[in-house]
Amino acid sequence: MTELGEIVDVIVVGGGPIGLAAAINARMRGLTALVIEPRPGTIDKACGEGVMPGAVAELTALGVHPHGRTIAGISYQNGKRTAEHRFSGDTALGVRRTELHRALTERAAELGVRVEHGKVEAVEQRDGRQSDGDLVGAVSAQLVDGRTIEGRWMLGCDGLLSTVRELVGLATRPRRVRHKDSRRFGIRQHFEVAPWSDLVEVHWAPNAEVYITPVGDTEIGVAVLGRRGTSFEEALASVPALAERLRDAPSASSSRGAGPLLQNTRGQRAGRVLLVGDAAGYVDAITGEGLRLGLAEARAAIECIVGGEPERYEREWRRITRDFRMLTTGLVAAANSPLRRTIVPLAARLPWVYGRIVESLAR
Ligand SMILES: Cc1cc2nc3c(=O)[nH]c(=O)nc-3n(C[C@H](O)[C@H](O)[C@H](O)COP(=O)(O)OP(=O)(O)OC[C@H]3O[C@@H](n4cnc5c(N)ncnc54)[C@H](O)[C@@H]3O)c2cc1C
């Protein structure tokens, strides 16, 4: 028995969007679920906040309906050229992370998901077979405050810099990067201004990508992606039309950063521990797909557990992330090379190629 007095079916480490979605999935499939999250209350995070159509569909299927602003497509711009594609099917949503967290938390509570506040610092796995053949307490999480929580399965949903990934031996060192400073990071801030477009705008500045996402009737999010040391203010100033629009707009949040974005893994499963969301491996936010992929992974992980086929999860993860890994790796390589300045002109000249890429993000 645990100090908390029960053995849960699924321990979810990390109460971000993907951890909460995994716990909701578990409850909807009849499993008990307990989320361990160090931060109390509504959680904010650096994010572009574009919830792609596929992610909206995943949330709807979970009974989660956050308020947001409709996004009809994606526009690439460089000050001279613009490439625009509107989604052919369902639209996306611009949703503040705090609103997404609120909606997920409410649904999780409605389904009886328990949340314990704490930070996991150790994971132990053992053979928990009883004489009647039932598995009990086969994996446990030790919290920094000394508590132990036991479960049958654990999902590591603890984000980019996952502790669970390290603890179960699935972390790898990033491949040797020639210059350490080529690692990419993200920073975001909100501004009080009425959105001027129903598209996510991606401004390709000389040294950074600047994303504008409408998230409300009078609020937009600005996310900057670039190499270590990229300054939010400098990136914004390097897109004069944007700097002008936001010159007098009051800021609606403080700036927040995340990274390094590239996180390699050896795999996504170690025994009874499955990695889900950013913890499972991440390339870059350049294509804005993290939520869509993480939500699909959360569903797949629970399906594999319920179906008694946990070994299938890594295959599912590769299938779900295949296009993202290929496209994002290619786009980041181009963005870090002299080809960078050809990206927007090419997208404008080849609208059908650009359109197919945007549609693949939408799925
Ligand atoms: C700048 C930027 C822009 C982005 N733009 C977009 C976008 O437009 N659209 C999109 O879909 N995606 C976007 N992404 C990606 C998206 O933000 C992530 O994919 C998403 O947040 C992943 O959710 P998660 O729940 O896996 O991780 P997180 O949101 O990071 O949540 C992890 C949780 O785990 C908790 N935790 C950490 N360590 C422990 C521990 N030891 N014990 C217990 N809990 C722990 C943390 O407190 C946190 O709450 C962007 C990312 C960045 C950085």
Side-chain angles (χ1 to χ4, degrees):
M1 276 295 154
T2 72
E3 288 175 27
L4 293 170
E6 70 180 86
I7 295 163
V8 288
D9 292 326
V10 184
I11 300 173
V12 178
V13 182
I18 306 310
L20 289 172
I24 293 169
N25 264 292
R27 292 296 299 130
M28 288 174 74
R29 301 298 300 264
L31 304 177
T32 54
L34 183 148
V35 174
I36 306 172
E37 166 61 47
R39 292 184 284 169
T42 304
I43 298 176
D44 204 353
K45 179 196 173 278
C47 185
E49 300 178 335
V51 181
M52 291 299 125
V56 175
E58 292 277 354
L59 290 170
T60 304
L62 295 178
V64 178
H65 308 284
H67 302 295
R69 176 107 181 169
T70 300
I71 292 174
I74 299 179
S75 153
Y76 270 22
Q77 314 188 4
N78 68 358
K80 292 186 192 127
R81 308 289 300 267
T82 297
E84 227 177 77
H85 180 81
R86 288 177 181 266
F87 301 124
S88 60
D90 293 337
T91 50
L93 271 184
V95 182
R96 276 290 276 116
R97 283 292 290 230
T98 43
E99 165 60 14
L100 180 60
H101 196 259
R102 180 206 61 75
L104 283 158
T105 303
E106 265 180 34
R107 178 66 174 143
E110 197 178 291
L111 292 173
V113 171
R114 267 180 61 195
V115 179
E116 287 295 328
H117 293 297
K119 192 169 181 157
V120 172
E121 65 168 3
V123 171
E124 197 188 319
Q125 298 198 59
R126 66 189 161 278
D127 184 4
R129 215 162 279 280
Q130 281 180 325
S131 53
D132 62 4
D134 274 358
L135 279 169
V136 292
V139 57
S140 65
Q142 277 96 56
L143 309 194
V144 171
D145 62 13
R147 285 177 296 162
T148 300
I149 295 174
E150 294 200 40
R152 294 183 169 81
W153 298 96
M154 178 181 288
L155 301 184
C157 304
D158 52 343
L160 274 183
L161 309 176
S162 169
T163 301
V164 172
R165 183 172 69 214
E166 287 280 342
L167 292 172
V168 300
L170 290 175
T172 58
R173 297 290 129 242
R175 278 203 204 103
R176 268 178 78 80
V177 273
R178 214 176 316 143
H179 302 295
K180 233 181 161 197
D181 284 353
S182 68
R183 289 182 305 170
R184 285 166 52 89
F185 291 75
I187 315 166
R188 76 88 178 99
Q189 194 174 346
H190 297 88
F191 292 88
E192 217 178 286
V193 62
W196 54 86
S197 168
D198 61 350
L199 306 175
V200 168
E201 289 182 358
V202 184
H203 295 266
W204 286 78
N207 298 313
E209 300 86 60
V210 183
Y211 289 69
I212 306 296
T213 310
V215 291
D217 292 345
T218 56
E219 194 175 355
I220 59 146
V222 180
V224 169
L225 300 178
R227 293 185 180 190
R228 186 185 201 88
T230 299
S231 135
F232 185 87
E233 289 73 21
E234 281 171 23
L236 208 55
S238 67
V239 185
L242 260 186
E244 180 55 28
R245 276 191 195 276
L246 298 179
R247 195 160 49 99
D248 298 321
S251 86
S253 67
S254 50
S255 68
R256 242 171 214 281
L261 299 175
L262 178 63
Q263 299 292 335
N264 294 306
T265 51
R266 280 180 205 286
Q268 288 69 40
R269 184 177 79 96
R272 301 193 144 255
V273 179
L274 282 61
L275 300 180
V276 183
D278 286 5
Y282 195 68
V283 183
D284 200 274
I286 202 162
T287 48
E289 293 174 274
L291 293 167
R292 177 176 75 79
L293 299 169
L295 291 167
E297 293 164 25
R299 177 167 45 81
I302 295 298
E303 275 169 9
C304 290
I305 289 173
V306 170
E309 297 180 287
E311 68 289 349
R312 192 162 60 83
Y313 175 63
E314 289 191 320
R315 254 193 347 265
E316 287 296 310
W317 183 88
R318 284 195 295 273
R319 180 185 60 75
I320 290 165
T321 60
R322 184 172 298 121
D323 289 356
F324 161 74
R325 286 180 285 126
M326 272 171 45
L327 181 64
T328 307
T329 304
L331 196 53
V332 170
N336 280 337
S337 78
L339 286 177
R340 179 180 182 87
R341 58 177 180 276
T342 68
I343 291 173
V344 179
L346 266 178
R349 211 173 308 142
L350 302 171
W352 57 275
V353 175
Y354 178 65
R356 279 193 60 175
I357 292 172
V358 173
E359 290 297 331
S360 86
L361 310 182
R363 278 202 310 263

